[in-house]
C-alpha cells in the first residue's frame, strides 16, 4: 500500500495498491496541504490489437506490408519474414546488424530485414517492449520518410501493461566511442532519464552545422517523429547506381538542391522520379520547394535514426547521449558496445550480506585442504549448475600487506589468482561424492589479465564458470574476480582432480 503524507499535519492519505505494476516515485508537488506524489509505472508493455500498414521500400522499391501483433512479456521485439517458407524470425538485436548503407538492416539464417530504424525508434519512444512485426518483404516501407505514421499506427493499436517488470540499464560511468576516422563521436553519460543531444555538420551551406535535442522520450511523437530523411540532389544518381533508393520519391525525402543542373541532368532526375520535367523545380534550397517541418529537421532526423539504432541494444537505457555527426554504421557499432557492457554487467554477481551463504568458512574447510594463511576464501555465496561464486573479505591485517607495497598496500595478483583457484576447487568438488577425499591441483593458468588493484577494505567476489565437462579428471574454468562492478582479474584455469593420498 502506498501513502501520501500531508504538509500541514500528519494525516496519511492511502493510495490503492496496484498489484499489476511496480511504481517509481516520479515527482512531488504541493497543492494546498497535501503533497501529491506522481508515479510512473515500470511494467513491460505491448500493443493491444493487431494493426497493419503498407508502403514502398526506399531502397528495394518493393511494396511491403507490415503487421504489428501483441507479444508475450519478455519476448522482446522481433521481425518475422512471412513471405519466406521458413518464416524466419529475426530478433531486433544489435548482434544481427548487417548492411548499414543508408539504413539499418538485420540478418539471420540468410533472411534480411532492412530500413527498420524509424519503426524501432517509435516502438522504443512509446515504451513498447514486446511486439511481433510481420513483414512480407525484405524491407520495411519508408512511408513519408519520417516516423509519424509509425507513431499513428502504434496509437491505433493501443498500449497495455504486462505483468513483468520493465528492464532498464542505467549508465553509471561515462562511455565514449570514436569512429576509426575520428569524424563521429558519441558519449553516454549518467542520467535519471533518456535524452539525446545531436550535432550534425555538413560542408553544404544548405544544412551546415545543426543541433537537435530530445530531452525526454515524451517529446518524441511531436518533435522528433515527424522529421524526414534527407539527401543531396548531387547524391541521387550515385545512389541509384549503387542499386539504392529504388523507392525514392519526391514525397518520402527532403532533397536538398546543392548544385545547378543543366537540362540533360534535369531530364535524368525527372526520369528517375517518373515525373514530367516541367514538374521538377530545381532551385537552390529544397527540391520542389518542400517546406521543412522544423528549421533543424535534418539534425532531428539524425537523432531519430540514433534512437532507433540504439534500441537494438535490447534494453531501455537511462542515460544522456551526446552524439556528433552520427550515421547508421557508427550508431550500430555504439549500440553493440553498449550491449556488450550490459552483458558484462548482467554477469556481475551481487553479494547480499543478509543472505545465508551456501558454504561458510567451516563448510569450505571441510572440502578444501588449505589452512591459514593460505585459505583465501571466506564464503561460497552462490552455486549454479556450472558455476560458483565465492567471497573474500580483504582486511588490512592480512600478512601479505606487511611486505607488498606497505605504504600503499595492494593485494598480490598471484594471490587473487590463487583465490580464484580455490573457488574453482569448490566448483569442481561440489557434485563429487565425498568431495573432501579429493584434491584439486591446477595445471595451467592462461589469459591472465590484471585490470584493477585490490586494497584493504575491499570485498572480493570470485566467479568461476565451468567451460566443459570433466574428462579424465581434468576440467577447464573461466575465472573472474570483481570488486563491486569492477573486474580486477580474469583468467582461464585448467585443473586436475585426484583422490587424496
Amino acid at each position: 500500500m502506498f501513502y501520501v503524507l500531508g504538509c500541514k499535519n500528519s494525516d496519511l492519505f492511502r493510495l490503492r495498491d496496484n498489484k499489476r505494476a511496480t511504481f517509481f516515485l516520479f515527482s512531488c508537488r504541493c497543492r494546498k496541504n497535501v503533497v501529491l506524489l506522481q508515479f510512473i509505472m515500470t511494467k513491460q508493455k505491448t500493443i493491444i490489437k493487431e494493426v497493419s500498414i503498407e508502403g514502398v521500400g526506399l531502397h528495394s522499391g518493393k511494396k511491403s506490408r507490415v503487421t504489428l501483433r501483441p507479444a508475450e512479456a519478455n519476448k522482446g521485439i522481433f521481425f518475422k519474414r512471412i513471405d519466406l517458407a521458413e518464416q524466419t524470425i529475426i530478433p531486433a538485436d544489435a548482434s544481427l546488424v548487417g548492411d548499414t548503407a543508408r539504413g539499418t538492416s538485420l540478418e539471420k539464417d540468410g533472411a534480411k530485414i532492412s530500413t527498420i530504424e524509424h519503426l524501432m525508434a517509435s516502438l522504443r519512444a512509446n515504451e513498447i517492449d514486446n511486439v511481433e512485426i510481420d513483414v512480407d518483404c525484405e524491407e520495411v516501407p519508408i512511408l513519408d520518410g519520417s516516423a509519424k505514421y509509425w507513431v499513428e499506427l502504434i496509437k491505433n493499436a493501443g498500449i497495455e501493461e504486462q505483468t513483468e517488470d520493465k528492464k532498464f540499464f542505467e549508465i553509471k560511468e561515462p562511455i565514449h566511442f570514436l569512429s576509426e576516422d575520428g569524424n563521429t563521436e558519441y558519449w553516454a553519460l549518467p542520467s535519471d532519464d533518456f535524452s539525446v543531444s545531436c550535432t550534425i555538420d555538413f560542408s553544404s551551406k544548405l544544412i551546415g552545422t545543426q543541433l537537435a535535442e530530445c530531452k525526454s522520450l515524451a517529446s518524441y511523437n511531436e518533435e522528433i517523429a515527424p522529421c524526414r530523411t534527407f539527401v543531396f540532389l548531387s547524391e541521387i544518381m550515385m545512389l541509384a547506381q549503387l542499386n539504392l533508393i529504388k523507392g525514392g520519391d519526391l514525397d518520402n525525402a527532403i532533397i536538398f538542391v546543392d548544385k545547378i543542373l543543366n537540362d540533360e541532368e534535369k531530364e535524368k532526375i525527372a526520369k528517375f522520379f517518373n515525373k514530367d520535367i516541367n514538374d521538377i523545380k530545381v532551385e537552390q534550397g529544397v527540391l520542389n520547394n518542400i517546406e521543412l517541418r522544423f528549421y533543424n529537421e535534418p539534425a532531428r532526423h539524425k537523432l531519430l535514426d540514433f534512437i532507433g539504432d540504439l534500441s537494438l541494444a535490447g534494453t531501455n537505457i537511462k542515460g544522456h547521449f551526446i552524439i556528433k555527426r552520427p550515421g547508421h554504421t557508427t550508431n550500430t557499432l555504439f549500440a553493440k558496445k553498449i550491449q556488450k557492457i550490459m552483458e558484462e554487467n548482467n554477469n556481475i554477481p551481487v553479494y547480499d550480506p543478509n543472505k545465508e551463504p551456501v558454504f561458510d568458512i567451516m563448510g569450505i574447510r571441510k572440502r578444501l585442504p588449505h589452512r591459514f594463511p593460505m585459505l583465501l576464501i571466506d564464503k561460497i555465496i552462490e552455486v549454479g549448475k556450472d558455476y560458483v561464486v565465492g567471497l573474500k573479505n580483504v582486511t588490512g591485517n592480512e600478512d601479505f600487506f606487511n611486505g607488498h607495497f606497505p605504504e600503499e598496500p595492494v593485494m598480490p595478483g598471484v594471490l587473487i589468482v590463487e583465490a580464484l583457484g580455490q573457488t574453482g576447487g569448490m566448483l569442481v568438488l561440489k557434485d563429487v561424492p565425498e568431495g573432501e577425499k579429493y584434491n584439486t591441483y591446477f595445471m595451467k593458468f592462461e589469459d591472465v589479465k590484471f585490470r584493477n588493484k585490490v586494497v584493504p577494505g575491499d570485498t572480493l567476489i570470485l566467479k568461476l564458470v565451468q567451460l566443459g565437462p570433466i574428462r579424465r579428471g581434468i576440467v577447464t574454468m573461466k575465472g573472474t574476480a570483481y570488486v563491486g562492478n569492477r573486474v580486477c582479474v580474469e583468467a582461464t584455469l585448467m585443473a586436475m582432480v585426484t583422490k587424496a593420498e
Side-chain angles (χ1 to χ4, degrees), residues 446-463:
E446 292 184 321
D447 300 323
V448 180
K449 297 181 179 67
F450 299 98
R451 300 194 179 278
N452 287 284
K453 61 185 179 181
V454 178
V455 300
D458 283 343
T459 299
L460 192 60
I461 307 296
L462 307 144
K463 183 172 183 178

Side-chain angles (χ1 to χ4, degrees), residues 91-106:
D93 191 309
S95 65
L96 300 178
V97 170
D99 185 22
T100 52
R102 297 283 175 160
T104 299
S105 66
L106 300 172

Side-chain angles (χ1 to χ4, degrees), residues 80-88 90 108-112 135-137:
K80 182 187 283 188
R81 283 288 305 275
I82 61 173
D83 58 315
L84 302 177
E86 301 83 2
Q87 294 204 349
T88 307
I90 308 175
K108 184 183 178 187
D109 299 333
K112 179 179 179 180
V135 190
D136 64 358
C137 180

